[in-house]
C-alpha cells in the first residue's frame, strides 16, 4: 500500500472511513482512489490464484510499477478513439452447434474465471452486444472469435496503424557468434485492460452456454480486457508491451544488466573499413561483444545474445520483469538457447560456422508454398474466371508469412493482394483501387467498407492476429473473387523462383574471413551507347588486415544493337545492369558476395524492388536479377542516384565514349558513395536552416546511441524500492531531430515508430538524403504526418549533393500551377527587390527577403482553384490557335513589363509574413492567420492619412452607403488573393474555453458553499462568496467574465427589493405574453451593470432582470444579496461589486484558479461526466459560463432574437452615447417592460427536459 499512501497520504484509510475520501462519487462511479483500490484488490486476487508454473486465473498489470507517466494508462487502459457514437445492438447470441458446445462452454468459462469477462449488475450497463462463434483449430481444438465488426463497434472506432518487427530487424542485430531463444506472452491482448469508455459496447450474451438453473441467471457479461476481435486491441496492447520493454531493458549503463550496452558501432558501405560480415549498425557491450536484445512480434518473443549464458540471462531477466509488471510469461513455451532456433516472424534464422547468418524457411513450409502456387497457377491457367475467396485469402496470408525469409519473392505477391480485394469493386482494369471514391461493399458488417490494401504489412498482421483469434475474415456474399490481371504473371515468376526441391539458404551476412569482397557498380545507357564501371573491395579481417580496392577498376563501353531500337530507355538502363551482373556471376565473382548497383533510372530501381512492371520485357529482366540473388547467395542492392552524380562519377561518360571523367580519370570510387553520410554531415548549412523554422534554436540531431533512448523520450531513470530501474520521461511537446545516414535509416525509423507508438505528444523531424530509399521509404511514410522534398541547388542543400533531401509525397504547402501567370500578376524576386528597395538583389543579404516574396507569390497563386486556372489557360490557348488560323492577333494584354513601385501590396505582404515568422502565438509557437492579417487595417489607416491617401477622396454617395475609390495596395485584388492563400496554408487552431453542464455548475457552487461554511478565514469566505456570485451571475445572465465585473453596487442595491416576493404565472414559457399585473409581480432580481454613457434608462448603468431561482438549482438573488453583504462588510457603497476590499479592480486569474480548482476536483471524482484527463486551462470565467448558458438556451428552444434581447445592453455600451443600432421596434420598447424576456432566458436555459420550472 506504499503507492496509495504516497498518492493519498498516510491517513487515507481514516479519511476514507470519515468520508473525506470516497471510493465512489454521488453517481456511483469510482473515484480515482476507488479505481486504485479496485485495481489493487484485483492484483491481489490474481496473485493469490497463481503458482510458480502457471497463471491459473490470469493476471492484472501492476500499474504502480510502470513509469510514472503511464501508470494511469496501465491501470485504466488506453483511451479508445470513437469516431461515431457506439452501436446499440442487443441481439441474442445464436445457439452453439452441439458438437462444439462443451468446448465453447469451457473456453468462455475460462475467461470468466480469469475475470476478463465481468458480469454486469443490470442490463443498463450494456449498450451493445458482441456475438461470438467458434472455428476449428487443428483436429481437436477450437478458437473463439468475438465479432466486434458485426456489432458495428469496430466501425465506430479508429484503430491507428503501427509497426511490427520483421525478420530483417532480427538479422540486423546478429553476428557470427549470436545465440537465440524464444519466449511467449501468454494471453497477449488479455493482459491489458480495456478502457471503461468501450466496456458498455463490449457486452457478451452467454445464454447459449448456460444449462439447467444457470439459464435463469442474468446472462450478460462485458469485456474488461482488450477483447480479441476489437479493432484497437492490437494497437493498445502492443503499446503497453512497448512501455513494459523500457522497464525490461533497464539501465543500459549498468554492466550487471544483461541488456547492458556501451556504444553503437556503425559499419556502413561506402567507408574504407566496411566489413560485409558485420551488421551495419549494432549495440556493443563494454567487453566488445554484441549486446543482448529482444524482439516481440505480437506475442512471439525472440531473445538474442553474444553467448549462450548471456542469452539465457537476458531471457530470464525479460520473463522476471514481465512478471514484476503483471504481464504473463508462458514459461512452458520457453525454448533452449541455440544458434539454430525454430521459425520466428515467418522465417528461420540460423547462425552457422560456414555460412554465418542465414535465413530460410522450414522444409514443410517450403513444400506447402510450392503446392499453393501450383494450385492457383493451374486453376487460373485453366481459364477460371473467379476464385474461392476464403481459400485464396488463407493461402495469401501463408505466402506473405513465409516470404519474409526471401525478399525476392515479396514483389510478386502483389497480384495476390489485388485479387484479394477485387470483389469490393471500385478498381481499374488492372485491379488497382481507384482514387477519391469509397469502395463498394456488398458484405453486411464488413469493417466500415474499408479496403485492406496495405499489401504484405496488412496480410502479415492478419495472419498473426488470426492465430490469436483476433480477426474475422470477410468475403463477398458470393464467396468468389475475380483474379487480378497480374496474378498469373506473378505466379509464374514465383514458381520459377521456388523451383528448387529444398528451401534455399539466403545468406544474410557471410562468415568468410579470408576472401570477403563487396563491390560497387555504376551503369548507364545514354541513347545508343551503354557503359558500366565497377570495382571490388577487400574487407578488413584479422587474417588479412588490408583494406581498399581488391580488384582494379573495370569498365565496359558499348553500343546497342538494332534489335533494341524500339525499346524504351527504361529497358536499356535495366538491361545494361542485368547483363553486366550476369557476366560477373558467370565468372564466379558474385558467389556469397554483396553488390551495390547504381543507376540514374528510377524505373530500374522501382522494378527491382517491386518485382514487376507493366512492360513484359522489364518484368523478365527483374526476374532474371532476382534469380541471380537466389542462385548465387548474392546480396544485391539496386540504388537510384541522380543523373548529375552519374555524370560526375564518370559512368555517363562511358556510355558516350568519354573516358576521362570521374573514376575513369583516377578518382576514388568511394568518393561518389554517400551511403554512410548523414545529410547534415554532407551539408552543415542544413542545420541552421532547420533551426530557423522548427521552433527550437538549439536543436541538434540525435546520435545513433540516442536513437534508442533519448529518441523515445527517456531522460534517465531511477530504481524503485525493489531495485528495479524505472525510466523517467521528458515532458510533452519536445522536438527531436533524426538525421541518419541512408544505410541505417531503416534502423532509425524502426526506433522512431516504436517511440511514436508509445508517445504521440512529441514532435519529430526526419532528414534523410534520397539514397537507398526502397529500404526505408515505407517506414518513412508510416512514421511521417508531413513530408516534402528539397531539390539540390539551395544554399543549405547545394547542387553537389546530387539527390533530393527527404522523399517528396504529400504536403499542405502552396506550390506553383501551370499557366497561373495568365490570371495572377507574377514578378520574380529580383524584380520585386528592385521595386521595393531600389537596389539589385543580394542573394546572401536578401535571403529571407526572397523567401517571403516567394511565399507571398505562392499564397496569391493558390487562392485560385486549379480547375479555374486550367479553364482560363485552355481558353487562351484556343483563342491563340483561332487567331493564328485567320492570321490575326489574340487580344490579350502582354504579361509585362509591370509598372515600377508596389501597386498590389507586396511590401505589406512581406511585412505580414515576417510578423507570422517572428511573433509568438498563444496556441501554437506561431501566430494564427487572423492575428497576422490585423496589420492590414493599420496599413490602410496609415495610407488614408498619407499624401497619396488623401487624394482618394472621390466616391459615390447614396442615402444608405458610400463607395470610395482608392489606390491603397491593401485593397488590391492580388492582395486579397494573397490573404486567401495564406489563410488556406496556415489553417486555424483554437483553444476556446469549454462549457460545463448546468448541473455541474450547480454542483460547483454547492461545493463552494460547503467550503464557505467550513472556513474560519474571513477573507477566504469573502473571496469564495464573490466567486459563487460571479459564477451564478455569468450563467444566469449569459455574460462573459469581464462583463460580470461591471456589476454596480449602488444600482443593484437600488432595485434589490423589487420582485423579492413575486409570484410565478401559470405556464409562463408557453404563454409568452403576460398581463400587466402578472408582469409587474414576477419573482425577479434586477442587476445593474455599470456603463460609461447614459443608456436606455437615462442612467449610467444597464439593467438586466433575472429569475430569483431556477429549477436546476441556481439562486441568483441569494448570491447577489450575499455579495452585497460582503461589499458592506468591506465598506464599499459604489463601484464594482467584485472589486477587492481596498477598491482595486478584480483579478480574473484568481477567479479562473478557483473555477479550475473545483472543476478539477469534480473531474477527479468522476462527477457529471467530466474528463479527469481534460486540460483545466480550457475552463475559466471568460467563456465557460456564457457558453454553458447559451448552449442550454438553445437546447431549451429559446429563440435567437430573445437571446439578443437579453444582451441588448452591449449595443448601448458600444454606441458610446449615440443612438444604438436597434431595430425600430426595439427602440420603442422599454427595458423594464422587457424583463420577462430576461427572466424567460434565465429560467428556460436552466429548465429540465421534463417540464416547467417549479420555483424561481
Amino acid at each position: 500500500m506504499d503507492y496509495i499512501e504516497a498518492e493519498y497520504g498516510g491517513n487515507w484509510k481514516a479519511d476514507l472511513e470519515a468520508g473525506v475520501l470516497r471510493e465512489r462519487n454521488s453517481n456511483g462511479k469510482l473515484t480515482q482512489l476507488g479505481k486504485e483500490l479496485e485495481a489493487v484488490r484485483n492484483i491481489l486476487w490474481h496473485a493469490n490464484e497463481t503458482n510458480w508454473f502457471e497463471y491459473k486465473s490470469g493476471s492484472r498489470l501492476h500499474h504502480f510499477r510502470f513509469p510514472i507517466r503511464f501508470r494511469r494508462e496501465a491501470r485504466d487502459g488506453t483511451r479508445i478513439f470513437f469516431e461515431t457514437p457506439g452501436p446499440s445492438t442487443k441481439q441474442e447470441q445464436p445457439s452453439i452447434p452441439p458438437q462444439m458446445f462443451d468446448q465453447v462452454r469451457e473456453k468462455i468459462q475460462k475467461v470468466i474465471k480469469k475475470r476478463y469477462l465481468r458480469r454486469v449488475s443490470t442490463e443498463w450497463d450494456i449498450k451493445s452486444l458482441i456475438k461470438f462463434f467458434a472455428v476449428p483449430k487443428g483436429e481437436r481444438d477450437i478458437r473463439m472469435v468475438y465479432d466486434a465488426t458485426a456489432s458495428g463497434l469496430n466501425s465506430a472506432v479508429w484503430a491507428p496503424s503501427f509497426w511490427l518487427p520483421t525478420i530483417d530487424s532480427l538479422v540486423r542485430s546478429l553476428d557470427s557468434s549470436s545465440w537465440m531463444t524464444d519466449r511467449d506472452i501468454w494471453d497477449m491482448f488479455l493482459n491489458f485492460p480495456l478502457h471503461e469508455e468501450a466496456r458498455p459496447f463490449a457486452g457478451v450474451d452467454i445464454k447459449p452456454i448456460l444449462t439447467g438453473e444457470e439459464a435463469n441467471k442474468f446472462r450478460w457479461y462485458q469485456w474488461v480486457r482488450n477483447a480479441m476481435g476489437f479493432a484497437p486491441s492490437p494497437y493498445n496492447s502492443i503499446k503497453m508491451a512497448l512501455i513494459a520493454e523500457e522497464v525490461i531493458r533497464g539501465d543500459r549503463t549498468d554492466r550487471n544488466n544483461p541488456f547492458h550496452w556501451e556504444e553503437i558501432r556503425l559499419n556502413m558501405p561506402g567507408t574504407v573499413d566496411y566489413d560485409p560480415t558485420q551488421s551495419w549498425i549494432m549495440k556493443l557491450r563494454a567487453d566488445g561483444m554484441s549486446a543482448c536484445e529482444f524482439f516481440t512480434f505480437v506475442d512471439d518473443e525472440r531473445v538474442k545474445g553474444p553467448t549462450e549464458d548471456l542469452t539465457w540471462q537476458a531471457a530470464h531477466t525479460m520473463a522476471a520483469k514481465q512478471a514484476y509488471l503483471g504481464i504473463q510469461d508462458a514459461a512452458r513455451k520457453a525454448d533452449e538457447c541455440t544458434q539454430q532456433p525454430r521459425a520466428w516472424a515467418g522465417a528461420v534464422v540460423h547462425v552457422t560456422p560456414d555460412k554465418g547468418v542465414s535465413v530460410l524457411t522450414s522444409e514443410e513450409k517450403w513444400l506447402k508454398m510450392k503446392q499453393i502456387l501450383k494450385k492457383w497457377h493451374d486453376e487460373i491457367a485453366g481459364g477460371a474466371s473467379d476464385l474461392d475467396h476464403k481459400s485464396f485469402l488463407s493461402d495469401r496470408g501463408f505466402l506473405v508469412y513465409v516470404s519474409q525469409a526471401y525478399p525476392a519473392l515479396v514483389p510478386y505477391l502483389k497480384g495476390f493482394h489485388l485479387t484479394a480485394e477485387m470483389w469490393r469493386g471500385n478498381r481499374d482494369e488492372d485491379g488497382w483501387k481507384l482514387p477519391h471514391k469509397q469502395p463498394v461493399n456488398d458484405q453486411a458488417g464488413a469493417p466500415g467498407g474499408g479496403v485492406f490494401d496495405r499489401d504484405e504489412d496488412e496480410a502479415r498482421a492478419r495472419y498473426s492476429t488470426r492465430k490469436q483469434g483476433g480477426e474475422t475474415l470477410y468475403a463477398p456474399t458470393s464467396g468468389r473473387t475475380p483474379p487480378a490481371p497480374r496474378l498469373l504473371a506473378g505466379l509464374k515468376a514465383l514458381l520459377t523462383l521456388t523451383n528448387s526441391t529444398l528451401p534455399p539458404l539466403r545468406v544474410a551476412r557471410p562468415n568468410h574471413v579470408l576472401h570477403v569482397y563487396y563491390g560497387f557498380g555504376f551503369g548507364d545507357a545514354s541513347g545508343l551507347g551503354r557503359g558500366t564501371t565497377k570495382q571490388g573491395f577487400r574487407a578488413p579481417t584479422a587474417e588479412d588486415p588490408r583494406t581498399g580496392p581488391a580488384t582494379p577498376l573495370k569498365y565496359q563501353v558499348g553500343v546497342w544493337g538494332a534489335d533494341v531500337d524500339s525499346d524504351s530507355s527504361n529497358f536499356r538502363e535495366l538491361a545494361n545492369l542485368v547483363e553486366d551482373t550476369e557476366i560477373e556471376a558467370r565468372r564466379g565473382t558474385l558467389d556469397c558476395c554483396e553488390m551495390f548497383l547504381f543507376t540514374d533510372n528510377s524505373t530500374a530501381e522501382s522494378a527491382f524492388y517491386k518485382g514487376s512492371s507493366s512492360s513484359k520485357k522489364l518484368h523478365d529482366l527483374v526476374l532474371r536479377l532476382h534469380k541471380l540473388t537466389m542462385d548465387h547467395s548474392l546480396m544485391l542492392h539496386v540504388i537510384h542516384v541522380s543523373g548529375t552524380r552519374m555524370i560526375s562519377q564518370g559512368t555517363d561518360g562511358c556510355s558516350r565514349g568519354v573516358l576521362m571523367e570521374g573514376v575513369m580519370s583516377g578518382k576514388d570510387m568511394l568518393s561518389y558513395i554517400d551511403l554512410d553520410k548523414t545529410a547534415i554531415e554532407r551539408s552543415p548549412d542544413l542545420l541552421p536552416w532547420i533551426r530557423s523554422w522548427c521552433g527550437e534554436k538549439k536543436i541538434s540531431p540525435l546520435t545513433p546511441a540516442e536513437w534508442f533512448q533519448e529518441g523515445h523520450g527517456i531522460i534517465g531513470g531511477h530504481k524503485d524500492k525493489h531495485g528495479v530501474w524505472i525510466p523517467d520521461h521528458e515532458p510533452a511537446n519536445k522536438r527531436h531531430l533524426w538525421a541518419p545516414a541512408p544505410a541505417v535509416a531503416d534502423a532509425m525509423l524502426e526506433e522512431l515508430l516504436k517511440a511514436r507508438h508509445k508517445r504521440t505528444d512529441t514532435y519529430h523531424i526526419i532528414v534523410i538524403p534520397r539514397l537507398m530509399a526502397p529500404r526505408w521509404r515505407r517506414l518513412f511514410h508510416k512514421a511521417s504526418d508531413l513530408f516534402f522534398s528539397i531539390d539540390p541547388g539551395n544554399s543549405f542543400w547545394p547542387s553537389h549533393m546530387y539527390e533530393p533531401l527527404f522523399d517528396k509525397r504529400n504536403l499542405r504547402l502552396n506550390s506553383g500551377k501551370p499557366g497561373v501567370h495568365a490570371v495572377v500578376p507574377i514578378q520574380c524576386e529580383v524584380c520585386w527587390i528592385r521595386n521595393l528597395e531600389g537596389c539589385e538583389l543580394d542573394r546572401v543579404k536578401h535571403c529571407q527577403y526572397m523567401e517571403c516574396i516567394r511565399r507571398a507569390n505562392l499564397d496569391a497563386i493558390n487562392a485560385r482553384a486549379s480547375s479555374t486556372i486550367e479553364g482560363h489557360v485552355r481558353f487562351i490557348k484556343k483563342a491563340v490557335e483561332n487567331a493564328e488560323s485567320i492570321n490575326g492577333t489574340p487580344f490579350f494584354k502582354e504579361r509585362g513589363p509591370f509598372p515600377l513601385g508596389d501597386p498590389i501590396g507586396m511590401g505589406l505582404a512581406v511585412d505580414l509574413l515576417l510578423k507570422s515568422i517572428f511573433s509568438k502565438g498563444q496556441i501554437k509557437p506561431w501566430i494564427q492567420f487572423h492575428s497576422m492579417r490585423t496589420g492590414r487595417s493599420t496599413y490602410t489607416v496609415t495610407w488614408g492619412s498619407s499624401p497619396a491617401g488623401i487624394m482618394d477622396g472621390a466616391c459615390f454617395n447614396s442615402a444608405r452607403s458610400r463607395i470610395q475609390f482608392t489606390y491603397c495596395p491593401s485593397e488590391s485584388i492580388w492582395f486579397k488573393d494573397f490573404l486567401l492563400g495564406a489563410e488556406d496554408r496556415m489553417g486555424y487552431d483554437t483553444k476556446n474555453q469549454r462549457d460545463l453542464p448546468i448541473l455541474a455548475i450547480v454542483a460547483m457552487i454547492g461545493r463552494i458553499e460547503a467550503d464557505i461554511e467550513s472556513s474560519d478565514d474571513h477573507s477566504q469566505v469573502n473571496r469564495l462568496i464573490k466567486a459563487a456570485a460571479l459564477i451564478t451571475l455569468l450563467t444566469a445572465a449569459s455574460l462573459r467574465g469581464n462583463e460580470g465585473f461591471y456589476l454596480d453596487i449602488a444600482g443593484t442595491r437600488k432595485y434589490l427589493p423589487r420582485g423579492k416576493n413575486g409570484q410565478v404565472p401559470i405556464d409562463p414559457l408557453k404563454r409568452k405574453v403576460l398581463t400587466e399585473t402578472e408582469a409587474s409581480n414576477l419573482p425577479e432580481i434586477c442587476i445593474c451593470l455599470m456603463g460609461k454613457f447614459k443608456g436606455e434608462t437615462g442612467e449610467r448603468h444597464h439593467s438586466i432582470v433575472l429569475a430569483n431561482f431556477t429549477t436546476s438549482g441556481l439562486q441568483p438573488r441569494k448570491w447577489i444579496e450575499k455579495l452585497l453583504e460582503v461589499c458592506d462588510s468591506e465598506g464599499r457603497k459604489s463601484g464594482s461589486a467584485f472589486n477587492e476590499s481596498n477598491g482595486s479592480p478584480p483579478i480574473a486569474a484568481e477567479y479562473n484558479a478557483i473555477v479550475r480548482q473545483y472543476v478539477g476536483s469534480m473531474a477527479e471524482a468522476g462527477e457529471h461526466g467530466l474528463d479527469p484527463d481534460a486540460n483545466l486551462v480550457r475552463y475559466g470565467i471568460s467563456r465557460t459560463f456564457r457558453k454553458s448558458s447559451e448552449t442550454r438556451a438553445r437546447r431549451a428552444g429559446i429563440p435567437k432574437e430573445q437571446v439578443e434581447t437579453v444582451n441588448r445592453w452591449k449595443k448601448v455600451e458600444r454606441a458610446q452615447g449615440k443612438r444604438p443600432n436597434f431595430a425600430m421596434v426595439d427602440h420603442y420598447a422599454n427595458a423594464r417592460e422587457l424583463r420577462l424576456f430576461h427572466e424567460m432566458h434565465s429560467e428556460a436555459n436552466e429548465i429540465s427536459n421534463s417540464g416547467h420550472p417549479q420555483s424561481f
Side-chain angles (χ1 to χ4, degrees), residues 6-202:
E7 292 291 318
Y8 297 94
N11 296 323
W12 67 271
K13 290 184 179 179
D15 291 342
L16 190 64
E17 293 174 358
V20 177
L21 295 175
R22 293 182 295 173
E23 284 196 58
R24 295 185 180 273
N25 58 29
S26 57
N27 294 330
K29 293 185 177 180
L30 288 171
T31 63
Q32 293 301 315
L33 174 59
K35 292 178 180 179
E36 295 285 1
L37 294 176
E38 182 187 62
V40 170
R41 293 185 189 109
N42 272 280
I43 290 170
L44 294 174
W45 181 84
H46 284 289
N48 187 59
E49 297 292 319
T50 300
N51 59 35
W52 284 103
F53 306 101
E54 185 180 2
Y55 292 88
K56 290 186 175 181
S57 296
S59 67
R60 198 191 198 287
L61 292 185
H62 303 165
H63 62 280
F64 45 82
R65 291 174 174 170
F66 274 71
I68 293 173
R69 67 168 291 134
F70 296 108
R71 284 177 179 172
R72 180 172 291 186
E73 191 169 356
R75 184 193 70 190
D76 300 339
T78 303
R79 294 289 296 272
I80 305 298
F81 301 100
F82 277 89
E83 295 186 304
T84 61
S88 56
T89 304
K90 293 185 178 180
Q91 297 179 356
E92 282 194 2
Q93 170 67 34
S95 59
I96 306 299
Q99 66 274 19
M100 291 185 174
F101 179 85
D102 292 337
Q103 290 176 298
V104 171
R105 176 182 169 89
E106 180 183 356
K107 294 279 187 180
I108 294 179
Q109 285 181 335
K110 187 175 181 179
V111 291
I112 292 176
K113 179 183 177 182
K114 292 183 176 182
R115 297 187 178 180
Y116 298 161
L117 272 177
R118 184 180 66 186
R119 182 176 177 179
V120 295
S121 55
T122 68
E123 64 179 13
W124 303 110
D125 295 328
I126 297 294
K127 296 182 179 179
S128 179
L129 292 173
I130 296 176
K131 294 181 180 179
F132 59 85
F133 57 90
V135 295
K137 179 183 177 182
E139 297 182 359
R140 299 182 179 180
D141 200 2
I142 63 169
R143 179 183 295 113
M144 295 300 302
V145 178
Y146 297 89
D147 197 354
T149 298
S151 71
L153 179 56
N154 281 344
S155 62
V157 300
W158 175 60
S161 62
F162 57 94
W163 170 85
L164 284 173
T166 64
I167 200 66
D168 292 331
S169 308
L170 171 63
V171 169
R172 189 186 302 121
S173 71
L174 300 175
D175 59 19
S176 58
S177 63
S178 294
W179 289 71
M180 290 166 278
T181 184
D182 290 341
R183 311 286 296 202
D184 193 89
I185 300 177
W186 190 253
D187 284 346
M188 171 62 186
F189 296 165
L190 300 178
N191 279 271
F192 307 102
L194 178 65
H195 197 275
E196 61 182 4
E197 291 179 354
R199 293 179 185 180
F201 306 102

Side-chain angles (χ1 to χ4, degrees), residues 320-425:
K321 288 190 177 180
Q322 284 177 337
Y324 184 76
L325 296 173
I327 299 173
Q328 303 173 46
D329 170 61
R332 64 182 181 85
K333 293 187 178 182
D335 284 348
E336 64 179 355
C337 291
T338 177
Q339 291 187 308
Q340 299 182 11
R342 59 186 175 87
W344 179 84
V348 177
V349 179
H350 286 175
V351 177
T352 57
D354 56 333
K355 294 292 187 181
V357 180
S358 54
V359 182
L360 70 159
T361 190
S362 66
E363 182 177 350
E364 178 186 0
K365 286 185 171 63
W366 181 260
L367 295 176
K368 181 179 178 180
M369 177 172 61
K370 294 180 65 173
Q371 293 172 358
I372 289 173
L373 295 174
K374 187 176 185 304
K375 176 184 72 173
W376 292 114
H377 173 270
D378 293 347
E379 184 169 348
I380 297 172
S385 58
D386 56 25
L387 310 173
D388 181 75
H389 185 265
K390 182 177 180 180
S391 176
F392 186 86
L393 209 59
S394 175
D395 288 346
R396 180 188 74 150
F398 179 81
L399 293 176
V400 168
Y401 190 69
V402 175
S403 65
Q404 302 309 299
Y406 304 102
L409 304 181
V410 173
Y412 301 97
L413 295 178
K414 187 63 181 179
F416 279 84
H417 304 316
L418 295 178
T419 300
E421 307 299 336
M422 285 289 288
W423 64 275
R424 296 182 185 274

Side-chain angles (χ1 to χ4, degrees), residues 412 574 607-608 611-612 618-627:
Y412 301 97
L574 188 55
F608 176 74
S612 63
L618 284 179
H619 183 90
D620 292 340
L621 286 174
V622 173
L623 182 58
R624 286 161 57 185
L625 208 53
H626 281 299
K627 192 74 168 61

Side-chain angles (χ1 to χ4, degrees), residues 834-874:
R834 291 172 180 168
N835 284 332
L836 297 175
E837 301 300 330
C839 65
E840 291 300 317
L841 174 66
D842 184 333
R843 293 190 177 274
V844 176
K845 176 182 176 182
H846 297 135
C847 177
Q848 194 161 20
Y849 206 155
M850 291 170 53
E851 292 174 354
C852 289
I853 292 173
R854 184 172 299 176
R855 181 176 292 183
N857 272 327
L858 291 173
D859 285 341
I861 288 171
N862 282 271
R864 307 295 182 96
S866 298
S867 58
T868 301
I869 295 174
E870 291 167 1
H872 289 308
V873 171
R874 284 195 300 269

Side-chain angles (χ1 to χ4, degrees), residues 925-1109:
W926 55 88
I927 62 173
Q928 301 290 303
F929 169 77
H930 62 81
S931 298
M932 182 191 80
R933 70 177 179 182
T934 55
R936 179 191 183 192
S937 61
T938 302
Y939 185 92
T940 304
V941 170
T942 58
W943 170 271
S945 62
S946 69
I950 61 176
M951 300 301 295
D952 295 342
C955 66
F956 289 116
N957 267 327
S958 68
R960 293 181 177 272
S961 62
R962 180 179 68 177
I963 301 175
Q964 181 176 358
F965 295 104
T966 182
Y967 288 99
C968 180
S970 64
E971 299 296 330
S972 71
I973 295 175
W974 179 92
F975 193 83
K976 292 181 178 179
D977 286 344
F978 157 72
L979 291 178
L980 288 173
E983 183 177 14
D984 181 69
R985 171 174 54 81
M986 296 176 69
Y988 177 75
D989 289 303
T990 181
K991 286 188 178 178
N992 290 335
Q993 290 187 350
R994 300 175 60 178
D995 61 346
L996 287 167
I998 295 298
L999 293 180
I1001 296 175
V1002 173
M1004 182 191 306
I1005 296 173
R1007 283 178 173 244
I1008 295 175
E1009 187 171 16
D1011 289 344
I1012 291 172
E1013 295 174 354
S1014 62
S1015 177
D1016 297 327
D1017 185 343
H1018 182 69
S1019 61
Q1020 175 68 4
V1021 168
N1022 287 352
R1023 187 177 296 108
L1024 292 177
I1025 289 176
K1026 289 180 180 179
L1030 180 64
I1031 293 170
T1032 303
L1033 175 61
L1034 298 180
T1035 307
S1038 187
L1039 301 176
R1040 297 185 181 94
N1042 62 314
E1043 296 164 355
F1045 289 150
Y1046 290 142
L1047 183 67
D1048 181 51
I1049 297 175
T1052 302
R1053 187 181 297 281
K1054 176 179 178 181
Y1055 297 109
L1056 190 62
R1058 295 186 183 180
K1060 186 171 184 178
N1061 299 312
Q1063 299 296 320
V1064 182
I1066 299 175
D1067 291 337
L1069 299 182
K1070 288 186 176 181
R1071 294 168 57 192
K1072 295 186 179 180
V1073 178
L1074 305 180
T1075 65
E1076 287 293 327
T1077 302
E1078 291 174 328
S1080 62
N1081 193 30
L1082 292 171
E1084 63 189 18
I1085 180 172
C1086 179
I1087 64 169
C1088 298
L1089 303 182
M1090 295 182 294
K1092 295 179 181 178
F1093 299 88
K1094 291 185 178 181
E1096 54 200 316
T1097 61
E1099 302 182 20
R1100 289 185 181 271
H1101 56 245
H1102 308 283
S1103 301
I1104 297 179
V1105 183
L1106 305 175
N1108 284 344
F1109 299 91

